[in-house]
Amino acid sequence: MRGSLKIGRIAGISVEIHYTWLLIFGLVTYFLGTSMSGKASSEIVVWVVAVATSLVFFGSVLAHELSHSLVANAYTDDMVRRITLFAFGGVAHLKDEPPSGKAELWVAVAGPGMSLALAAVFGGIVVLLRLAPASLDIIRSAFLYLSAINVLLAIFNMIPAFPLDGGRVLRALIWIGTGQFDRATQIAAGAGQVFAWLFMAFGVFQILQGPGNWFSGLWILAIGWMLSSAAQGSLRRLSIERALSGVQVGQIMTTPAVSAGADWSVQRLVYEVILPQRIREVPITWAGQVQGVVNATDVQQVPQQNWPTMSVTQVMSPLSDDRIIPPQEPATKALKVVGAGHGRAY
């Protein structure tokens, strides 16, 4: 996801934060701080607890997505390589569809299951804190919020609207019952679009109620738009896969493949390949072998006065095995690896 910053790895899975996460983190913290105001002797304590609660909340979202990822990777190695936290929560980036309906089902329920487990833990802490002094009421309020929000997170995700977890459960059940992945995807994505339209309609209704409801209305409208876009994207991907069925990479590749020599300067690469042919990623070759790839974004980071003297190998990214596809491979494989975020140059 563009605009994301990598913050670390958990169980071999890269964790990223999208810049939109900062907005929702600020809003959640503000909501918590204002709702807890007066529950502590110092406003500084209130805001420290608000920030800490927000961090634990997003940690809960990360745990939700990590549960999906670990179960998916248990079925297929490296099924999920990265998780991104953004304004609407989090997303585990699957490089391919689960291998079976059963796998899809377990991957889908793992996230809500984790959210409910966290809700139970936080709820248990709330019960224990009832025995604590009144001065700890603000802590009890924080854990009460965390318990409630995890329950809501599980309930929302189980709405049968693909690609939400509930929509994936719906697809899994249809897939298991019929043995037809394509048909299951069509039905689940169709349900996702229906729910998306309902969300958007309710969001518009909220907005029309007046300025006091504008924020919530716009938020619900944005959620509906996101669901609709994701559902439509799944249907488009399914159509493309059908069109590419039986087609090999060699039949659709550009020939001769556009490339640049390892002895080229960055300036020559820009003016002879990137600009005239509008190519964002260029394979770099030497003696007939691909050595790496230069991305136009990396070139933009180089001061233009250095282009004539800088070699393309100085801005080249190493070539990895997952960026090479033999011409006899199915074209659908190329679609999947590109969709998994490996780039477009092969």
Side-chain angles (χ1 to χ4, degrees):
M1 188 178 287
R2 291 183 179 179
S4 297
L5 174 67
K6 182 178 176 180
I7 60 172
R9 299 181 72 85
I10 300 176
I13 300 170
S14 175
V15 179
E16 304 172 350
I17 290 180
H18 193 254
Y19 70 89
T20 56
W21 176 85
L22 296 174
L23 170 64
I24 193 63
F25 176 78
L27 289 173
V28 170
T29 302
Y30 176 78
F31 166 77
L32 289 169
T34 53
S35 64
M36 292 177 179
S37 182
K39 292 188 176 183
S41 57
S42 168
E43 283 299 301
I44 294 177
V45 173
V46 169
W47 288 105
V48 168
V49 172
V51 170
T53 305
S54 293
L55 289 173
V56 176
F57 164 59
F58 283 102
S60 299
V61 174
L62 177 59
H64 178 110
E65 297 302 330
L66 191 60
S67 297
H68 287 308
S69 304
L70 294 177
V71 174
N73 287 347
Y75 279 99
T76 303
D77 289 341
D78 290 332
M79 174 72 81
V80 179
R81 294 181 177 180
R82 60 192 176 99
I83 294 171
T84 304
L85 299 179
F86 69 119
F88 295 105
V91 59
H93 301 274
L94 276 73
K95 71 176 183 180
D96 200 355
E97 299 291 356
S100 66
K102 180 182 176 181
E104 170 91 307
L105 181 62
W106 285 112
V107 171
V109 300
M114 173 58 75
S115 295
L116 291 176
L118 290 172
V121 171
F122 294 138
I125 294 174
V126 171
V127 172
L128 293 175
L129 286 173
R130 287 181 178 175
L131 305 175
S135 59
L136 294 180
D137 273 356
I138 188 172
I139 305 298
R140 188 171 68 86
S141 296
F143 279 107
L144 182 61
Y145 168 81
L146 290 170
S147 180
I149 199 66
N150 272 282
V151 170
L152 291 175
L153 184 63
I155 292 174
F156 174 76
N157 274 280
M158 284 306 293
I159 294 174
F162 191 85
L164 293 179
D165 298 336
R168 291 189 174 275
V169 168
L170 175 62
R171 182 171 75 166
L173 294 175
I174 298 172
W175 187 1
I176 292 171
T178 65
Q180 299 180 28
F181 170 78
D182 289 2
R183 181 61 177 160
T185 300
Q186 286 179 322
I187 295 173
Q193 287 187 302
V194 170
F195 275 97
W197 294 331
L198 291 174
F199 271 103
M200 288 189 284
F202 184 66
V204 171
F205 174 77
Q206 286 284 91
I207 293 171
L208 294 177
Q209 298 307 299
N213 295 306
W214 283 359
F215 179 78
S216 60
L218 287 171
W219 190 254
I220 294 170
L221 184 64
I223 290 174
W225 175 82
M226 181 193 70
L227 288 176
S228 178
S229 298
Q232 290 176 8
S234 297
L235 292 175
R236 283 195 297 269
R237 182 186 177 94
L238 184 62
S239 297
I240 294 172
E241 288 181 348
R242 284 178 173 176
L244 293 178
S245 178
V247 178
Q248 294 182 339
V249 169
Q251 295 175 266
I252 61 171
M253 67 181 289
T254 300
T255 53
V258 177
S259 63
D263 57 343
W264 285 26
S265 67
V266 172
Q267 179 169 286
R268 182 180 177 186
L269 174 70
V270 171
Y271 289 107
E272 291 189 21
V273 179
I274 293 178
L275 290 181
Q277 302 198 44
R278 298 182 179 181
I279 295 176
R280 297 290 302 174
E281 289 186 301
V282 184
I284 305 301
T285 62
W286 183 255
Q289 299 295 316
V290 179
Q291 304 297 312
V293 177
V294 171
N295 189 290
T297 302
D298 296 329
V299 172
Q300 291 172 347
Q301 307 303 315
V302 179
Q304 193 167 349
Q305 62 267 26
N306 295 342
W307 288 3
T309 57
M310 180 174 285
S311 168
V312 292
T313 58
Q314 293 177 262
V315 291
M316 179 181 73
S317 298
L319 189 68
S320 55
D321 291 340
D322 58 9
R323 303 205 67 175
I324 302 173
I325 304 177
Q328 68 272 15
E329 289 288 329
T332 51
K333 180 178 180 180
L335 177 67
K336 291 175 181 177
V337 293
V338 170
H342 297 308
R344 301 179 62 182
Y346 295 87

